[in-house]
Amino acid sequence: MADQTAPSPAGSGAAVLAASAPAAGPAVPAGPVPPVRDGGGRRRGARRHRWPVVVPFFAFLAVCFGLPAGTMVYGAFTVVDPASGEGRFSTENVGGSLSGAYATGLTGSVELSLVTALLATVIGTLIAQAVVSSPRPALRGVVVSASGVLANFSGAPLAFAFIATLGTTGTVTQLLHLDRTGFSLYSFTGLVLAYLYFMVPLMVVTVLPALDGLRSQWQEAAASCGATRGQYWRHVGIPVLTPSLLGGAVLMFGTAFASHATAAVMVGSSQPLITIQIANALNGNVLVGQENLALAMSLNMVVIALLVMAVQIPLQRRSTRWLG
């Protein structure tokens, strides 16, 4: 007797086709497509509502930086007639600020800044590396705290401290008879020592994050490949740290170049420095009516400071990208 439960061939093919065909859902009536919202429009609207927040900041910049800068540029290129009191556009002030004794002062400031920046970079980096490699965390805390305090100890208090210690009648000078060796605090060497007192701690604070960014795995990998400690620093450590070190050196240069109170109190006009010459011209200590010449010298300092910033910012970005 034939099995009545067996499916027919046709039914079997239909079942296969039905199983292989995708399941169809209920028919959805066609309707209008809802509009897609513009996310860019929302962002632009958020920006429009956000920009009034920064108005006070830009107002502060315009009043505290823009107005003095504009006055300085205008005065640097303006010559006042003593008889009529009328001003006229001229480059005499800028030319005078780059010649004679004023050029010597600018050169002296640049030379002092270069020497102190180089010494502070080397000494500060060595101290920071000793702190990073030390197994004692307390040493790091002491050095960082002391560096933060000493980096801000400059100006007139620092000058008076050095005069009382290393001056002609200073305690250390009399104790060690430094006057017999020809040492004088009121010289270029004395200024270098005074500047290093606050620049070395500043360099320590500046370069510590970069040294912390050197991963220990790099040194372990170099050692596993047979490299010595010197080879690691020559081929890995120093190339990675170069942007940070150059950025720190540029920062040290700018700090020394803009320092005024320490040199003004300690050496006065005995050393040709552009900051002291600007102060003398503004106060009328050299010639009356030289205010615009002082503005021209200030403009020269601003140009050098802008060049320093133009070098430091790319170095800082590269250092952050490598050590971040």
Side-chain angles (χ1 to χ4, degrees), residues 113-130 196 199-204 206-207 211 238 241 244-246 248-250 252-253:
S113 302
L114 286 175
V115 172
T116 53
L118 178 61
L119 293 176
T121 301
V122 174
I123 299 173
T125 303
L126 293 177
I127 295 175
Q129 175 58 28
L196 289 179
M199 289 177 61
V200 169
L202 180 60
M203 185 62 192
V204 172
T206 303
V207 80
L211 292 173
I238 294 180
L241 288 175
S244 299
L245 295 179
L246 292 178
V250 172
M252 295 301 105
F253 176 88

Side-chain angles (χ1 to χ4, degrees), residues 10 55 79 115-116 127 186 217 246 265 281 294:
V55 170
V79 176
V115 172
T116 53
I127 295 175
Y186 316 109
Q217 293 85 351
L246 292 178
V265 174

Side-chain angles (χ1 to χ4, degrees), residues 59 85 91 134 164 171 181 207 229 252 321:
T91 58
S134 175
T171 305
T181 63
V207 80
R229 189 176 181 86
M252 295 301 105
R321 184 171 65 252

Side-chain angles (χ1 to χ4, degrees), residues 87-214:
R88 57 182 177 85
F89 177 81
S90 176
T91 58
E92 294 179 10
N93 294 324
V94 178
S97 66
L98 296 175
S99 62
Y102 303 113
T104 303
L106 183 60
T107 304
S109 293
V110 172
E111 181 181 357
L112 177 64
S113 302
L114 286 175
V115 172
T116 53
L118 178 61
L119 293 176
T121 301
V122 174
I123 299 173
T125 303
L126 293 177
I127 295 175
Q129 175 58 28
V131 171
V132 170
S133 60
S134 175
R136 301 178 180 179
L139 178 62
R140 180 188 179 97
V142 171
V143 173
V144 171
S145 300
S147 299
V149 173
L150 296 178
N152 293 281
F153 185 70
S154 60
L158 177 63
F160 285 125
F162 265 82
I163 291 172
T165 306
L166 294 172
T168 305
T169 58
T171 305
V172 178
T173 302
Q174 297 298 321
L175 183 63
L176 301 179
H177 303 287
L178 295 179
D179 51 344
R180 300 179 184 177
T181 63
F183 171 78
S184 176
L185 180 65
Y186 316 109
S187 62
F188 184 85
T189 304
L191 275 178
V192 170
L193 291 177
Y195 278 36
L196 289 179
Y197 187 86
F198 63 89
M199 289 177 61
V200 169
L202 180 60
M203 185 62 192
V204 172
V205 176
T206 303
V207 80
L208 265 178
L211 292 173
D212 289 334
L214 289 178

